[in-house]
Amino acid sequence: MENVKKLEDNSQKNNLLKIAKGSIVSIIITLVALLITSIILTYTNVPESTIPWIIITISAVSILIGSILSSLYIKKNGLLNGGLVGAIYMITLYLLSSIMVTGFEINTRTIIMFVSAIIAGIIGGIIGVNMHKN
C-alpha cells in the first residue's frame, strides 16, 4: 500500500513538472514571437492598432502549443492540465507586468485575457490527450 502511495506522489510530481514545462514553452514561444513581431512592426507600415490583436493571437497560440505538449506527455486530464498551463502562463505574465510596468492594474480586459488563456489551455489539453490516443 505504501508503494502505491509513493508511485502516486511521484506521478503527481512528474505531472506538475510537465505542466511547468508546458508553461515555460508557452512563454518562450511568446517571447520569440513578440521579438519577431517587434522587428516587423519597426520596419514595416503595419498600423499600431493591430498590436493588441497580434498579442492576443501570439498568447493563444503559445498557450495552445504548451498545453498540447504537456497533455501529450501526461496522457490524461487534458482539461485540467491544459487549463493549468494557461493559468500559470497568465499568472507569470501578470506578475512580470506588475513588476516592470508602473501603474499596472487588473481590469476587465485582464480578466477576459485570463479566461481566454485558460480556455486556450483547455483546448490544447484536449488536443494533446487525443493526439496521444491516436
Side-chain angles (χ1 to χ4, degrees):
M1 190 68 153
E2 192 173 307
N3 289 336
V4 172
K5 180 143 177 72
K6 285 181 183 179
L7 285 175
E8 287 177 4
D9 289 344
N10 285 339
S11 176
Q12 288 176 345
K13 288 178 186 176
N14 286 336
N15 289 350
L16 288 175
L17 185 61
K18 290 171 186 169
I19 290 169
K21 285 180 181 179
S23 300
I24 292 168
V25 166
S26 296
I27 291 168
I28 291 170
I29 291 170
T30 298
L31 292 173
V32 170
L34 288 175
L35 177 65
I36 293 168
T37 301
S38 66
I39 293 168
I40 291 170
L41 290 171
T42 300
Y43 295 107
T44 64
N45 292 328
V46 176
E48 287 188 28
S49 62
T50 61
I51 293 173
W53 295 106
I54 292 170
I55 291 171
I56 290 169
T57 303
I58 288 171
S59 295
V61 170
S62 298
I63 293 166
L64 193 68
I65 292 169
S67 61
I68 286 172
L69 291 175
S70 67
S71 294
L72 186 62
Y73 293 112
I74 295 173
K75 302 173 187 168
K76 61 182 179 178
N77 297 327
L79 289 168
L80 176 63
N81 297 326
L84 284 172
V85 169
I88 291 169
Y89 174 95
M90 290 307 295
I91 290 168
T92 304
L93 182 71
Y94 281 102
L95 283 175
L96 290 172
S97 295
S98 66
I99 293 168
M100 299 169 125
V101 177
T102 56
F104 174 79
E105 62 182 37
I106 295 178
N107 54 29
T108 306
R109 183 180 273 167
T110 307
I111 294 168
I112 291 169
M113 187 75 173
F114 198 88
V115 171
S116 299
I118 292 173
I119 291 170
I122 288 170
I123 292 169
I126 292 169
I127 292 169
V129 168
N130 288 320
M131 284 175 65
H132 178 266
K133 291 180 181 178
N134 292 333

